[in-house]
Amino acid sequence: RKLASVRDRIAVVDDCLSGFAAGAGLAVGDLERVVKAVHESLDGDPDPLHHLAPWEGEARWPAVRAYNTCVLTVGLALLADVGPALRRDLGLAAMLVDCGKLLLPADVQARELELRGDELELIIDHPRSGFEALLGAGNLPPQALIAVYEHHLAYNGTGYPRLPRPRRPHPVSRLISVAVAFVI
């Protein structure tokens, strides 16, 4: 089906992320269709702020957040004159950066801002969990795996996941982390 409206795109992203969280695998082709629709929208109006999805309630927040992160990342890449193939890969990567949070227990997800101790470690470890889960997904660009793992690393290599030795994150991760910070 055609993904002309933002609501249609959010529905597809929601279905894909829900299936992934339930262990049904990742519908990479469907997410790529959403990224293509984002590109087409930005070709008509290059201001990414005009294409953000509105709040659709707590249940759909992961999909809205993933979609909006994609829109902002692709928009930033377009402004930086990144080529179309890499922009597509960046858009897909941006949609998946918080997939590790989907694997957390529902009660931990619901109380994310109120966690302490061991529960907080689950949130801190979500980049590693997402990375490990996506290793078997297939058909993902390497940039997606890198960004999922590194999207909470600071420019100087601090942040999480905790690394044995701080290092700068990949440029893809740095670009996507700007969009993540804006969407949160």
Side-chain angles (χ1 to χ4, degrees):
R1 75 184 178 196
K2 186 125 171 93
L3 301 176
S5 76
V6 170
R7 181 161 288 218
D8 292 338
R9 297 171 198 169
I10 296 299
V12 170
V13 173
D14 189 49
D15 289 345
C16 292
L17 295 180
S18 297
F20 174 76
L26 185 64
V28 175
D30 289 342
L31 292 175
E32 287 173 335
R33 286 180 38 237
V34 172
V35 173
K36 182 179 179 189
V38 167
H39 277 262
E40 290 169 357
S41 294
L42 288 168
D43 285 342
D45 176 3
D47 187 342
L49 298 179
H50 295 162
H51 303 283
L52 296 178
W55 172 259
E56 289 193 20
E58 193 69 36
R60 283 233 173 152
W61 174 239
V64 169
R65 179 179 57 208
Y67 177 79
N68 285 344
T69 303
C70 170
V71 168
L72 289 171
T73 298
V74 172
L76 288 169
L78 184 63
L79 291 171
D81 204 27
V82 172
L86 182 54
R87 280 198 317 266
R88 280 192 303 276
D89 290 350
L90 287 169
L92 183 60
M95 270 197 276
L96 295 173
V97 291
D98 274 329
C99 69
K101 285 185 180 178
L102 301 172
L103 306 174
L104 297 173
D107 68 312
V108 171
Q109 289 180 43
R111 297 180 299 111
E112 180 179 344
L113 297 176
E114 304 164 1
L115 300 175
R116 289 184 234 81
D118 292 342
E119 290 178 324
L120 186 57
E121 287 296 318
L122 293 173
I123 293 293
I124 289 172
D125 205 39
H126 84 269
R128 185 182 323 274
S129 301
F131 173 79
E132 290 170 354
L134 289 177
L135 280 175
N139 296 331
L140 288 176
Q143 294 88 341
L145 296 172
I146 292 166
V148 166
Y149 189 76
E150 294 183 343
H151 72 282
H152 284 296
L153 287 179
Y155 184 74
N156 64 359
T158 60
Y160 57 93
R162 293 182 188 106
L163 301 175
R165 190 177 69 247
R167 61 171 172 74
R168 284 189 179 163
H170 191 280
V172 164
S173 303
R174 294 192 310 236
L175 177 71
I176 292 173
S177 69
V178 171
V180 168
F182 186 87
V183 170
I184 291 176

